[in-house]
Amino acid sequence: MTLPLPRPVFDANATGGGLGDLPDWDLTDLYPATDAPEFSRDMAWLEKACADFAADYEGKLATLDAAAMLDCIKRYEEIDVIAGRIMSYAGLRYYQNTMDSERAKFMADAQDRITTFTTPLVFFSLEFNRLDDAHLSGLLSQNADLARYKPVFDRMRAMRPHQLSDELEKFLHDNSVVGASAWNKLFDETMAGLMFKVEGEEEELNLESTLNLLTDTDRAKREAAARALAVVFDKNIKLFARIHNTLAKEKEVEDRWRKMPTPQTGRHLSNHVEPEVVEALRNAVVAAYPKLSHRYYRLKAKWMGLDKLQVWDRNAPLPIETPKTVDWDSATRTVLDAYGAFDPKMADLAKPFFEKGWIDAGVKPGKAPGAFAHPTVTTVHPYVMLNYLGKPRDVMTLAHELGHGVHQVLAAGQGELLSSTPLTLAETASVFGEMLTFRKLLDAAKTPGERKTLLAGKVEDMINTVVRQIAFYDFECKLHAARREGELTPDDINALWMSVQAQSLGDAFDFMDGYETFWAYIPHFVHSPFYVYAYAFGDGLVNALYAAYADGLPDFQAKYFDMLKSGGSKHHKELLAPFGLDASDPKFWDKGLSMIAGFIDELEAMEG
C-alpha cells in the first residue's frame, strides 16, 4: 500500500473562440482555500495519526487477532484518504497553472510534510509482508470484513521478494522528494514554460497550442508547427537527456537493490498483470504493424495526393473532411446521449461532472497540457481536466476522460484501498466511452464521405492508442536497457526513438530532420515508466468487450457496471470471465486488432 501523490493531472478563459462557456474546476469539495481551517486541521490530524499508528502497531502486527488487524487496516485506510485529499488539492491547483510559483511552493511544501509524516508508516508493508502465509490465511478465514482486503494484501505481498530492510525503505521514502519527484517537477515546469515561434503566427505559442496545429487543415501550418517544435526541443535536448538519464539510472539502482529481474517488472507487479500477458500483447501488435499502421498510412498518403507522408501529416484532417468546430454544449450533448443510449444510468453518473465544477476544460497560460481524470479520494469525487479546443477529436477526449470519471465514481464504493484499478484495467471504461460515442456518430452518418471521415478518424485514434503506445513501450525498453550499459547522449536517445518510429509507422513516411527529438515531450516516460502499454491493453480489451456487447451478450450492461464497481478488488481473469474473455489467451489480442483491421478493410473498399 502506498500513500497517494497526485498523478499528472493536466485555465482557458471562461469563454473562447466560439466554444461557449467552458467550465472551470471548483475545488472547494476538497478544501475551501489554501488557508482554510479544514486544511490545517487535516494536516495536523495526519501528523498525529501517522505517529499514533506507528506507536500502536510497529513490531506488533504478528500478534494481532483478526478483529485487531481489521482495525489496523481501517486506520491505515483513513490515513490514506486524508493524505490523498491533501495532495489531490495541492496537485490539482498546481496543474491549473504550473507557472505560478505560489502554487508550486504550496504543492512542494505539502508533499514534503506528508512525506515526513508518513515515514513512520514505512514499517507497515514491510512487517505485513513478513507475516507467515498460514497465519494470514487463518486471520482472513476468521473475519469476512478483513478478507475483503485480500486483493490488496496479494498485491502488497507480490513485492515480498523485492523489499529491502526497514531502514533502507525509510531512506528511499524520505529521499523520494529529491529524487524522481524533483525531476518530474523540473520536467513539468520546463515543458509548461516552453514557447514556440511558429512561422505565420503573430505570437509565440505554448506546447499545447503548437501541438494542436499538427491537426490543422493547412499543411504549411502543420509543417511550421512541427519545425518549431523541433527547434525548441533541440535547444533543450541536453536537459531532457539529463532528466531521462538520471531517472533511468535511479530506477536501475533501485531495481538492482530490489532484485527486480527486468526494468518492467515493477510496472507489471503494480498492474497485477503477468509479464507473459504483456509480452503477448506487445508481440501481437508488432506483428500487426503491416496490416494496421503501414497499410492505413499508405491509404492516407493516397487520399492526400502525396508520395510520402511527413510527420506533420500523421494526424492531419483528411482532404474530404469539412473543418468544423464543436462548441462545448454540443460536445456535452453528444457524449451524454451516447452514454444514455447504452444505459441511462451511465449518463446520470456523468452529468454531475458538467453541473458541479468537476471539469476544467479550457486552454490557459501555464495550465498543464493534455487531459486526464484524477480520482482524488473515494470520499470526494474525481476531477476531469481537458484542453478543449473544439476539434471533433476533443469530443472523443471528453468521452474518454468522462469514462474514467464514471469508473472512478463506481469503484469508490470499494473504499480507498480497494477502489484503485490497475492501469491495465483503468483504461477500460474510458476507451469504452469513446467507442460508444464513435458508434453513435457512425450510425448517424448521412453520407459515405461522413462515414469515411469518422472511420478514418477512429482508425487513427486506435493506431495512436495501440501501435504508437507499443512503439513507445519498445522505446522505453530499449532506453532502459541501453542506460544500464552507460550514460546516453542525446544522439543515442534520438537513435532509439527513430528505430521504433520507422518500424511502427512504416514505409509511407519520410521523417524530417528534427523529428528524432520528439521523444522529449512525452510525459509518461518521465512520470510513469512503462505506463504506456496500458493504453494498448485497454484498447484491445475494450474491442473484445464491445464485440461481446454488439453480439448481444445477455445482461451486458449489468455485467459491465459490476466490472467497473469492482475497482481493484478482482484480477483481470475474474473480471473478464462473465464476458467469456481471457486476456492470458494469446489469441485474445488478435480479436481487438482485427476490429481495427476491419475498419481499414472498409476504408479500402470505399476506394474501389
Side-chain angles (χ1 to χ4, degrees):
M1 297 179 221
T2 53
L3 290 153
L5 294 176
R7 288 179 209 153
V9 204
F10 297 112
D11 207 345
N13 302 323
T15 59
L19 298 177
D21 288 339
L22 295 173
D24 293 316
W25 278 331
D26 175 0
L27 298 179
T28 56
D29 286 345
L30 289 165
Y31 292 102
T34 53
D35 57 358
E38 293 90 338
F39 186 86
S40 307
R41 176 202 68 203
D42 281 359
M43 197 63 101
W45 179 91
L46 187 67
E47 183 174 21
K48 184 174 187 313
C50 291
D52 289 351
F53 185 91
D56 291 347
Y57 294 115
E58 189 164 9
K60 301 170 192 163
L61 291 189
T63 68
L64 301 181
D65 63 17
M69 182 63 82
L70 179 61
D71 286 343
C72 170
I73 300 302
K74 286 185 168 173
R75 281 175 64 179
Y76 190 99
E77 192 162 37
E78 195 177 358
I79 288 170
D80 224 9
V81 168
I82 299 302
R85 187 179 195 127
I86 290 169
M87 285 316 303
S88 291
Y89 179 65
L92 292 170
R93 279 186 80 249
Y94 170 70
Y95 281 106
Q96 278 184 302
N97 187 354
T98 60
M99 301 305 289
D100 181 338
S101 54
E102 180 277 322
R103 291 177 189 233
K105 174 180 165 49
F106 182 79
M107 184 174 84
D109 287 350
Q111 194 164 0
D112 282 351
R113 291 180 71 189
I114 286 181
T115 301
T116 302
F117 298 164
T118 55
T119 297
L121 304 188
V122 171
F123 83 90
F124 177 73
S125 59
L126 306 174
E127 196 173 315
F128 193 94
N129 281 353
R130 287 197 290 266
L131 293 177
D132 181 72
D133 285 338
H135 173 67
L136 182 58
S137 296
L139 293 181
L140 300 185
S141 68
Q142 294 163 30
N143 190 308
D145 289 336
L146 182 63
R148 264 192 77 240
Y149 291 94
K150 185 176 184 298
V152 183
F153 302 153
D154 288 346
R155 279 200 284 278
M156 194 158 68
R157 286 166 81 83
M159 284 297 291
R160 282 168 90 184
H162 309 294
Q163 73 184 33
L164 305 173
S165 70
D166 293 14
E167 196 173 31
L168 266 176
E169 292 288 359
K170 283 181 180 171
F171 168 75
L172 287 173
H173 180 85
D174 265 353
N175 202 51
S176 62
V177 291
V178 291
S181 162
W183 290 96
N184 285 338
K185 280 209 223 46
L186 175 63
F187 174 83
D188 289 341
E189 288 165 10
T190 303
M191 272 300 159
L194 293 183
M195 299 302 287
F196 300 84
K197 181 73 188 114
V198 181
E199 194 178 326
E201 297 292 320
E202 288 180 20
E203 296 180 356
E204 287 191 323
L205 303 176
N206 66 9
L207 177 64
E208 193 71 24
S209 301
T210 310
L211 290 171
N212 185 54
L213 287 175
L214 294 178
T215 60
D216 199 275
T217 50
D218 183 341
R219 191 166 191 242
K221 269 192 186 177
R222 296 199 303 272
E223 178 178 354
R227 296 200 182 281
L229 289 166
V231 166
V232 176
F233 292 159
D234 184 60
K235 207 175 287 180
N236 292 275
I237 203 67
K238 285 185 178 174
L239 172 61
F240 293 126
R242 168 62 44 230
I243 290 170
H244 280 68
N245 267 294
T246 305
L247 287 171
K249 183 62 181 176
E250 184 189 54
K251 180 166 171 39
E252 185 271 323
V253 170
E254 188 168 331
D255 283 352
R256 179 159 32 87
W257 277 78
R258 292 193 182 284
K259 298 184 170 54
M260 294 280 186
T262 72
Q264 300 83 0
T265 301
R267 177 63 63 201
H268 300 336
L269 285 170
S270 68
N271 282 345
H272 208 42
V273 66
E274 302 73 18
E276 56 272 19
V277 172
V278 179
E279 191 64 13
L281 162 65
R282 183 260 170 204
N283 291 343
V285 173
V286 172
Y289 284 170
K291 68 176 183 183
L292 299 180
S293 44
H294 298 185
R295 185 163 64 119
Y296 174 76
Y297 288 127
R298 281 196 290 268
L299 205 51
K300 183 165 187 174
K302 189 172 150 189
W303 293 335
M304 297 182 77
L306 300 168
D307 291 331
K308 291 276 188 181
L309 295 174
Q310 267 295 347
V311 293
W312 55 80
D313 299 316
R314 188 171 60 80
N315 288 323
L318 301 185
I320 59 163
E321 203 170 320
T322 311
K324 68 173 180 180
T325 299
V326 184
D327 64 63
W328 180 250
D329 286 347
S330 301
T332 303
R333 252 192 331 273
T334 299
V335 175
L336 288 179
D337 286 354
Y339 277 26
F342 171 71
D343 192 305
K345 181 181 168 187
M346 194 147 151
D348 290 342
L349 287 162
K351 280 175 188 164
F353 284 85
F354 296 94
E355 296 166 355
K356 295 187 175 180
W358 299 3
I359 300 178
D360 196 307
V363 179
K364 298 180 221 173
K367 181 176 173 181
F372 78 92
H374 180 59
T376 72
V377 287
T378 51
T379 54
V380 188
H381 56 76
Y383 283 91
V384 162
M385 206 211 67
L386 307 169
N387 278 276
Y388 189 82
L389 293 159
K391 290 179 179 285
R393 208 164 243 149
D394 292 343
V395 181
M396 288 298 169
T397 302
L398 171 61
H400 180 101
E401 299 306 339
L402 211 53
H404 277 308
V406 166
H407 192 177
Q408 290 157 1
V409 168
L410 286 167
Q414 293 287 344
E416 198 66 23
L417 297 179
L418 281 162
S419 64
S420 183
T421 312
L423 292 177
T424 39
L425 297 167
E427 292 301 324
T428 306
S430 52
V431 180
F432 196 83
E434 262 188 277
M435 183 64 87
L436 290 172
T437 306
F438 164 69
R439 292 286 185 175
K440 186 162 180 64
L441 293 171
L442 192 66
D443 290 345
K446 294 180 177 67
T447 64
E450 201 178 332
R451 185 174 177 86
K452 181 178 179 179
T453 300
L454 283 165
L455 275 171
K458 185 61 179 168
V459 167
E460 292 199 5
D461 285 345
M462 289 170 128
I463 287 173
N464 284 337
T465 305
V466 178
V467 168
R468 190 160 167 78
Q469 301 304 326
I470 290 299
F472 282 178
Y473 177 66
D474 276 358
F475 166 72
E476 284 191 277
C477 291
K478 289 182 174 190
L479 176 84
H480 284 264
R483 182 63 182 92
R484 288 182 173 217
E485 303 304 313
E487 176 91 4
L488 300 173
T489 66
D491 285 346
D492 292 336
I493 304 176
N494 292 349
L496 295 177
W497 173 256
M498 290 311 296
S499 71
V500 300
Q501 293 301 304
Q503 181 194 17
S504 61
L505 295 177
D507 57 6
F509 277 90
D510 271 341
F511 295 100
M512 70 165 193
D513 287 342
Y515 183 64
E516 65 276 5
T517 62
F518 275 43
W519 53 269
Y521 80 93
I522 311 293
H524 301 83
F525 301 155
V526 172
H527 288 290
S528 315
F530 306 107
Y531 180 110
V532 288
Y533 74 73
Y535 290 113
F537 195 110
D539 201 270
L541 183 60
V542 166
N543 290 343
L545 263 182
Y546 194 88
Y549 169 56
D551 290 344
L553 182 75
D555 300 321
F556 183 92
Q557 281 86 338
K559 290 173 180 173
Y560 180 73
F561 284 123
D562 282 346
M563 177 173 69
L564 300 190
K565 282 178 191 166
S566 296
S569 68
K570 293 179 181 174
H571 186 265
H572 63 78
K573 250 183 163 38
E574 202 181 340
L575 284 175
L576 293 176
F579 303 95
L581 301 171
D582 180 3
S584 60
D585 176 357
K587 296 188 185 67
F588 171 82
W589 301 110
D590 293 331
K591 288 180 189 169
L593 297 172
S594 65
M595 181 184 282
I596 309 174
F599 288 157
I600 302 173
D601 290 344
E602 187 176 339
L603 286 166
E604 281 184 339
M606 286 179 172
E607 294 301 289

